[in-house]
Amino acid sequence: MAIESPAAWADILDRLESAPSDAWQERANFLERLVGLGPPKEDRLEDRAVEMLEALATNPKWEIRRAVADVLPHLSHVKTQSLLDRLGCDANKWVRESARWARKKLRINSSIDKRDRKYDQIRKLILQLKRKHPDEITDEIADEVLKIAFKAGEKYYEELAAEAVHQTN
């Protein structure tokens, strides 16, 4: 997935907004392009996108509603889940199927975000240590320590989760 600038999101949202309402294929293409951009990175763009997607989620063309479902996992807005719930009950089976897959992607994206935040926290601590000891800790050593720390954390988590499952049985 390409990570683009907020300007790319703004440009596509402008085009989507100005596209004639009867140009459903053009609108669907713009929605597909949003999927390829990755997350918008700015709250104002996400708010604007969700506002537009809410309106498009009721579009008479099922292709538009399906494209809306495809965009939603790339947003972290509070209304994302309710929009997916609405699309999950759509009359068209392709829209419902896209909403189902979008829910799965949203759960995966959420767990990846949590993992990335933890990774960033560990990296920040290692960089603080590197600043204290710049001669002893090279970039290569810092990277290796980060990998080791993250593997150790994942192993500890897996053991903890296994123990919790064992205790519930």
Side-chain angles (χ1 to χ4, degrees):
M1 172 188 335
I3 304 298
E4 298 290 333
S5 70
W9 264 86
D11 179 55
I12 293 175
L13 290 175
D14 288 344
R15 291 173 187 226
L16 186 59
E17 196 169 44
S18 65
S21 60
D22 62 342
W24 69 267
Q25 288 175 319
E26 185 178 355
R27 286 177 166 224
N29 288 336
F30 288 137
L31 290 167
E32 288 174 20
R33 288 179 58 196
L34 287 177
V35 171
L37 293 180
K41 294 188 176 206
E42 288 186 5
D43 290 342
R44 68 177 178 81
L45 288 173
E46 191 161 16
D47 290 343
R48 184 175 170 210
V50 167
E51 186 178 310
M52 292 175 74
L53 294 172
E54 281 183 304
L56 291 170
T58 60
N59 192 286
K61 297 299 278 183
W62 68 266
E63 294 90 345
I64 296 290
R65 298 191 310 274
R66 185 191 68 207
V68 167
D70 292 341
V71 174
L72 290 171
H74 302 282
L75 304 174
S76 57
H77 199 278
V78 295
K79 293 183 178 180
T80 300
Q81 191 60 51
S82 65
L83 274 170
L84 281 173
D85 290 344
R86 185 180 345 153
L87 293 169
C89 298
D90 195 271
N92 182 278
K93 72 176 185 171
W94 301 112
V95 175
R96 289 191 308 270
E97 187 66 18
S98 285
R100 187 176 70 82
W101 280 106
R103 275 195 205 97
K104 286 182 182 181
K105 288 178 192 173
L106 193 60
R107 281 193 295 270
I108 291 168
N109 290 347
S110 174
S111 66
I112 288 171
D113 287 345
K114 289 176 189 171
R115 182 178 177 192
D116 286 347
R117 285 193 304 272
K118 290 174 186 169
Y119 183 88
D120 289 343
Q121 290 171 344
I122 294 169
R123 188 172 191 281
K124 184 178 175 183
L125 292 172
I126 292 170
L127 289 176
Q128 287 173 354
L129 187 62
K130 186 179 189 293
R131 278 193 291 276
K132 284 183 182 178
H133 306 283
D135 296 332
E136 293 87 2
I137 301 175
T138 65
D139 288 339
E140 293 81 21
I141 291 172
D143 288 343
E144 189 65 26
V145 170
L146 180 61
K147 289 176 189 173
I148 291 168
F150 206 70
K151 281 183 182 179
E154 284 181 334
K155 183 168 177 39
Y156 178 72
Y157 173 79
E158 289 170 3
E159 289 173 359
L160 188 63
E163 181 63 27
V165 168
H166 177 73
Q167 287 182 1
T168 59
N169 291 333

